[in-house]
Amino acid sequence: TKKDPFTDDIIPFEKKAWKKAILGEQLPDTCGIILKMRQLEHRELSERATLLGITQSSVSTLLTRARHQLLEQLKRRNQQ
């Protein structure tokens, strides 16, 4: 499978932090579902697209959007 530099090079405690963040933050429904399917369920791109009834390109776009939204939420929370 293709290496995903976003997650494959992250050390274990960082993966746990991402899991906790994904589960604890509110993301728009589809973005949140896609992020959970990728990060927690380790589903392939084609599988996520098929399950959601959308194109692979849309899944990729929504995944990028979800990651950015999650990072922004975590940044805001850390500034409080």
Side-chain angles (χ1 to χ4, degrees):
T1 59
K2 184 177 162 187
K3 186 171 178 159
D4 182 350
F6 186 79
T7 57
D8 291 343
D9 294 331
I10 297 175
I11 54 179
F13 75 87
E14 290 175 323
K15 286 184 179 183
K16 288 179 186 175
W18 270 103
K19 182 177 180 178
K20 184 177 177 183
I22 292 167
L23 293 173
E25 297 298 325
Q26 296 297 317
L27 297 173
D29 289 341
T30 305
C31 289
I33 290 168
I34 288 173
L35 187 60
K36 288 174 187 173
M37 291 172 86
R38 167 63 179 93
Q39 300 301 118
L40 305 179
E41 300 173 9
H42 308 288
R43 293 182 186 266
E44 295 293 329
L45 177 64
S46 59
E47 184 180 11
R48 286 176 270 154
T50 299
L51 289 171
L52 295 170
I54 59 178
T55 65
Q56 290 185 21
S57 177
S58 293
V59 170
S60 295
T61 299
L62 290 167
L63 180 60
T64 299
R65 187 176 300 156
R67 288 173 171 164
H68 287 287
Q69 290 172 346
L70 179 60
L71 285 172
E72 287 303 313
Q73 287 181 18
L74 293 173
K75 285 178 187 177
R76 281 194 302 273
R77 187 175 62 176
N78 288 334
Q79 291 174 351
Q80 296 176 351

